[in-house]
Amino acid sequence: MSEVGSATPGLGPKIVALGGGHGLYATLSAARLLGHDVTAIVTVADDGGSSGRLRAELGVIPPGDLRMALAALARSDARTQLWTDVLQHRFGGTGALAGHSVGNLILAGLTEVLGDPIAALDEMVRMLGIDGRVLPMSPIALDIEADVSGLEDDPRVSRVIRGQVAVATTPGKVRRVRLLPPDPPASADALAAIDAADLVVLGPGSWFSSVIPHVLVPDQLAALARTSAPKVLVLNLAPELGETTGFSAERHVHVLSQHAPDLGIDYVLVDSASVPEGSNREHVARAAARLGAEVVYVDVAENGTHAHHYGKLAAALGSIVTPTGGTAPTAARREGITSWP
């Protein structure tokens, strides 16, 4: 296994964040405020846009979510930020490059040159001065398949749809998702990172296409079950148009437990303004209990938006894990007390 991002004394807790897209970007931006030893484990089922085109044309794992994770963890000095901006730059126009991001093309090129997507990611990690790592949840590209109701005249009838874009934008109601192939291999380096973690964070993000897929990789689910690190499920601040339209906080937790009934979670982190006090919180507590989890309510929202505030999310996560690993006292968690940054 590569030594990139290996533990360095004084860098804080070892944090592993699982997800994809903008949700994972938020978690990583928060996690890096707690320390530099952060590993991102990223979904690899995207089939749309630049990622989908490169996947179809070159046979690479979709690079877009991986690129975003690299950008979230990149060093903040001016030179590195220039390169981060370049990686995030998307070509305009109407030609062959239109819609492609520079970072996607570089990752695809590095993968072809080095013959290994993880080696390509580690090279990007070195270039961007990242102390942690960015890893795919599987070394192969995956597909998402979903059972969706509400697409037929009879609302009881489900239709099977395939593809991350189709699942994320369906006007129907997603009931269940699967990965294809059905028992995909896990990234060995991702499993090792989970085993060594002091804190594991799942979510927020597109629930059926970026969060739940992480518990559908059998070896990764087994690693999540056996880790001694506290596991935190971060809920979205609001339902997403399409795949989770109309979902309550309780429903988000419930569908995760349906897909991974044996997964244990220690804490479900919920924005305090997104669930009013009273019966709604009682419903969330019952759903969390199926996962063995305690519900923690705290303000983590960017004012006036449905996006997570990186600093507030960092404080909430920091109140759960100590700088040297382990779990912070319950009183500190509830008050949001942290010694970082």
Side-chain angles (χ1 to χ4, degrees):
M1 185 172 67
S2 169
E3 293 301 316
V4 173
S6 57
T8 304
L11 289 184
K14 298 175 185 176
I15 301 174
V16 172
L18 302 93
H22 293 284
L24 180 60
Y25 189 99
T27 304
L28 295 174
S29 299
R32 65 177 298 181
L33 298 178
L34 304 180
H36 300 289
D37 196 347
V38 180
T39 297
I41 301 177
V42 186
T43 52
V44 286
D46 191 2
D47 61 353
S50 171
S51 288
R53 290 161 60 190
L54 291 171
R55 169 181 177 167
E57 294 172 16
L58 302 177
V60 296
I61 59 176
D65 286 357
L66 295 161
R67 181 201 80 244
M68 287 189 65
L70 289 164
L73 293 176
R75 195 183 300 172
S76 57
D77 63 276
R79 179 176 175 81
T80 304
Q81 281 302 299
L82 171 62
W83 277 107
T84 303
D85 291 343
V86 171
L87 293 176
Q88 294 283 66
H89 175 72
R90 197 174 294 274
F91 291 107
T94 58
L97 289 177
H100 278 303
S101 73
V102 175
N104 288 0
L105 297 172
I106 291 176
L107 276 173
L110 275 171
T111 298
E112 287 200 346
V113 170
L114 298 175
D116 177 12
I118 293 179
L121 287 162
D122 284 345
E123 187 58 39
M124 292 291 288
V125 160
R126 279 186 281 268
M127 187 184 84
L128 296 173
I130 296 170
D131 295 304
R133 297 186 79 185
V134 174
L135 299 166
M137 73 176 187
S138 176
I140 64 172
L142 305 176
D143 285 305
I144 294 176
E145 185 177 81
D147 298 328
V148 180
S149 63
L151 300 178
E152 308 291 345
D153 292 336
D154 187 341
R156 297 169 298 178
V157 175
S158 290
R159 183 193 299 178
V160 176
I161 63 173
R162 182 171 176 176
Q164 180 169 331
V165 172
V167 172
T169 59
T170 180
K173 187 173 184 178
V174 179
R175 298 293 186 179
R176 180 169 288 274
V177 292
R178 296 173 291 277
L179 292 178
L180 300 174
D183 295 307
S187 164
D189 287 25
L191 301 182
I194 293 171
D195 286 339
D198 295 317
L199 177 68
V200 175
V201 184
L202 179 62
S206 299
W207 214 244
F208 286 107
S209 52
S210 292
V211 177
I212 288 177
H214 281 283
V215 302
L216 302 180
V217 179
D219 286 344
Q220 183 162 284
L221 177 59
L224 290 171
R226 70 173 174 261
T227 182
S228 60
K231 295 184 286 289
V232 182
L233 177 66
V234 181
L235 294 194
N236 295 339
L237 277 72
E240 281 196 301
L241 185 64
E243 64 181 76
T244 57
T245 298
F247 270 39
S248 63
E250 173 201 5
R251 182 67 178 161
H252 280 82
V253 179
H254 178 67
V255 296
L256 177 68
S257 66
Q258 282 184 316
H259 284 80
D262 297 327
L263 174 66
I265 295 289
D266 296 287
Y267 308 103
V268 175
L269 184 62
V270 186
D271 177 63
S272 51
S274 67
V275 180
E277 294 188 20
S279 61
N280 288 325
R281 292 196 177 186
E282 293 173 6
H283 297 157
V284 175
R286 281 197 294 269
R290 297 190 187 100
L291 295 168
E294 172 187 344
V295 183
V296 178
Y297 290 96
V298 64
D299 173 19
V300 289
E302 186 80 45
N303 291 339
T305 75
H306 289 151
H308 286 80
H309 184 284
Y310 306 152
K312 293 177 181 178
L313 183 56
L317 295 174
S319 69
I320 289 171
V321 66
T322 66
T324 56
T327 306
T330 300
R333 291 198 307 272
R334 289 177 176 164
E335 296 299 323
I337 298 170
T338 176
S339 56
W340 302 280

